């Protein structure tokens, strides 16, 4: 049968210690032992089912990790206190001084800053390339390269990575392909397309309520064990541990992810088509005008759609700010970073989530001042939302009444 990530989540069944339908929350930082030998064995990683200290792991974190591993089709997973708390240990575990990374040029600003400004202190260098051109990616690979890094759908330009093609390159050159799948949970399953490691910011769609931050690394048992190793594991030693209460909360929200992603995608597709018809420069993978529409279509799990993220370009940062402030005033959503909330969120990424990228590099990659990134919400009446958005655009001169009437 074809892999279906939502079915894998649905098939998991947990019982609380008192028979509850939710697993009990492990509200402890440390765990007791009946024998000193079991404590020693646990510390060495040789006592299954025993817990030592919550920085290493906890029952609540393991429940969530198991569910996310099932969703991505990996052997196991390790949850972290933030998305960056998942991404950075992976790269540090896979690389050491003198190594090299080939990364997409359009990635989350925090990841870009880590690779551009932080890892060079450890003599780990990164080449940033147009990930959509496999020949350019391969040309950047050197004898020191250890990792290919990309986002399934890039932040904020919504470029789509050819994960199968990148996987073939990775195998050819004995590299690890690490894919950030934050923008496209359920829609794309990177491991099934050849990725070695998948990371998510759980803060976004997976949690879905903008009330916590979190991250996850999904991979093989061997790699996750390396991350957790008490002697040289990057996740263990850097200490980005998710709180058990938060892990339990995210696990509950994960169960509705399939319903939410379908609505996010449905609403985003509707607005993208309307915006494009109005003459706005609109980027959304579900539009046939998107340069990688067919590629996304070939990789996707169709029932979950093309995701909830889209961009429009209104020409200038001044207009972008004016429009976003007016839309917030009209209760259409929030002028805020992040994504995956039930209300629409909008921001100008050049001056917010991608501000770590120098202006000249933003221009080179096509990140313009007037770009607005939308995380489309779960609006029940998206037609009504569009009509009010259009009125806002007419009011500030992004659209004219004549243009709208012609459409």
């Amino acid at each position: 049968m074809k892999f279906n990530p939502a079915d894998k989540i649905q098939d998991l069944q947990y019982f609380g210690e008192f028979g509850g339908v939710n697993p009990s929350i492990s509200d402890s930082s440390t765990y007791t032992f009946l024998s000193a030998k079991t404590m020693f064995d646990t510390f060495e990683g040789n006592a299954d089912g025993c817990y030592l200290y919550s920085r290493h792991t906890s029952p609540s974190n393991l429940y969530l990790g198991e569910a996310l591993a099932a969703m991505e089709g990996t052997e196991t997973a390790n949850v972290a206190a933030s998305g960056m708390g998942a991404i950075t240990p992976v790269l540090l575990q896979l690389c050491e001084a003198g190594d090299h990374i080939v990364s997409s040029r359009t990635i989350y600003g925090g990841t870009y800053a880590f690779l551009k400004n932080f890892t060079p202190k450890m003599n780990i260098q990164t080449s940033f390339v147009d990930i959509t051109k496999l020949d350019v990616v391969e040309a950047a690979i050197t004898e020191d390269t250890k990792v290919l890094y990309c986002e399934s759908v890039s932040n904020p330009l919504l470029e789509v990575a050819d994960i199968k093609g990148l996987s073939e390159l990775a195998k050819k050159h004995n590299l690890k392909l690490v894919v950030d799948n934050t923008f496209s949970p359920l829609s794309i399953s990177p491991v099934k397309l050849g990725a070695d490691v998948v990371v998510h910011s759980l803060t976004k769609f997976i949690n879905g309520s903008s009330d916590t931050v979190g991250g996850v690394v999904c991979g093989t048992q061997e790699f996750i064990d390396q991350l957790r190793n008490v002697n040289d594991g990057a996740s263990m030693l850097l200490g980005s541990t998710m709180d058990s209460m938060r892990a339990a909360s995210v696990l509950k929200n994960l169960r509705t992810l399939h319903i939410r992603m379908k609505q996010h995608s449905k609403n985003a597709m509707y607005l993208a088509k309307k915006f494009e018809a109005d003459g706005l420069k609109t980027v959304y993978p579900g539009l046939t005008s998107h340069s990688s529409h067919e590629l996304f279509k070939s990789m996707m799990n169709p029932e979950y759609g093309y995701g909830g993220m889209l961009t429009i370009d209104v020409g200038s940062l001044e207009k972008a700010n004016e429009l976003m402030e007016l839309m917030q005033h009209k209760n259409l959503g929030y002028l805020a970073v992040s994504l995956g909330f039930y209300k629409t969120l909008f921001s100008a990424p050049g001056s917010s989530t991608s501000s770590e990228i120098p202006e000249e590099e933003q221009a080179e990659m096509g990140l313009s001042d007037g770009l607005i990134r939308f995380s489309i919400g779960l609006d029940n009446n998206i037609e009504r939302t569009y009509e009010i958005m259009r009125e806002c655009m007419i009011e500030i001169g992004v659209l004219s009444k004549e243009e709208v009437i012609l459409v």
Side-chain angles (χ1 to χ4, degrees), residues 45-344:
N46 299 320
D48 288 342
C50 294
Y51 301 90
L52 180 74
Y53 183 57
S54 286
R55 177 161 59 88
H56 188 262
T57 194
S58 70
S60 294
N61 288 11
L62 284 178
Y63 285 129
L64 176 58
E66 183 180 24
L68 292 164
M71 180 187 79
E72 287 294 358
T74 62
E75 292 176 356
T76 190
N78 189 56
V79 296
S82 69
M84 289 302 294
I87 293 166
T88 54
V90 167
L91 296 173
L92 293 177
Q93 195 73 42
L94 293 173
C95 297
E96 56 188 39
D99 287 343
H100 176 249
I101 297 168
V102 175
S103 169
S104 171
R105 64 183 183 177
T106 56
I107 52 176
Y108 170 58
T111 311
Y112 177 90
F114 177 70
L115 293 174
K116 181 79 170 181
N117 305 325
F118 195 89
T119 55
K121 298 176 184 179
M122 294 171 280
N123 196 24
I124 298 171
Q125 306 300 324
T126 301
S127 296
F128 296 95
V129 300
D130 184 343
I131 206 71
T132 65
K133 298 177 180 177
L134 294 179
D135 58 334
V136 172
V137 174
E138 185 163 27
I141 296 171
T142 72
E143 61 182 12
D144 297 322
T145 306
K146 295 296 188 292
V147 172
L148 291 183
Y149 183 88
C150 69
E151 297 171 349
S152 299
V153 180
S154 75
N155 183 3
L157 298 183
L158 308 185
E159 293 178 344
V160 179
D162 181 353
I163 298 172
K164 284 185 178 179
L166 291 168
S167 173
E168 291 170 3
L169 282 182
K171 289 177 173 58
K172 177 180 176 181
H173 295 278
N174 195 29
L175 312 176
K176 294 298 184 183
L177 175 58
V178 180
V179 179
D180 182 339
N181 200 33
T182 299
F183 272 28
S184 45
L186 303 185
S187 295
I188 293 178
S189 301
V191 167
K192 298 302 178 181
L193 299 167
D196 296 293
V197 180
V198 178
V199 295
H200 282 272
S201 170
L202 302 179
T203 314
K204 314 303 193 304
F205 287 113
I206 288 176
N207 186 53
S209 52
S210 289
D211 60 356
T212 190
V213 292
V216 67
V217 182
C218 302
T220 63
Q221 186 70 55
E222 180 184 15
F223 182 63
I224 299 302
D225 285 346
Q226 290 172 4
L227 286 173
R228 289 176 176 160
N229 188 285
V230 296
N231 295 307
D232 61 5
S235 290
M236 179 65 174
L237 297 177
L238 293 173
S240 178
T241 306
M242 176 172 272
D243 177 75
S244 292
M245 296 285 200
R246 285 306 189 186
S249 175
V250 175
L251 179 59
K252 290 173 187 140
N253 289 347
L254 178 65
R255 296 165 183 161
T256 63
L257 178 63
H258 61 294
I259 300 170
R260 292 185 281 110
M261 287 312 300
K262 290 176 185 179
Q263 189 69 17
H264 284 303
S265 294
K266 176 186 173 184
N267 286 351
M269 177 68 90
Y270 180 87
L271 289 178
K273 287 181 175 179
K274 287 292 189 180
F275 291 159
E276 187 173 62
D278 286 337
L280 293 168
K281 183 179 179 182
T282 309
V283 177
Y284 181 66
L287 296 175
T288 56
S289 59
H290 191 288
S291 59
S292 297
H293 171 73
E294 290 300 326
L295 172 61
F296 193 113
K297 191 175 180 180
S298 72
M299 296 191 298
M300 71 188 296
N301 299 310
E303 66 181 289
Y304 307 108
Y306 293 88
M309 305 301 296
L310 66 84
T311 68
I312 62 172
D313 195 326
V314 297
S316 70
L317 181 59
E318 181 183 17
K319 282 292 183 187
N321 289 339
E322 191 178 357
L323 176 58
M324 291 187 294
E325 290 170 3
L326 182 57
M327 288 191 297
Q328 180 169 256
H329 179 70
K330 297 286 189 179
N331 298 328
L332 291 170
Y334 296 105
L335 173 49
V337 298
S338 199
L339 46 130
F341 194 42
Y342 86 100
K343 289 277 279 187
T344 294

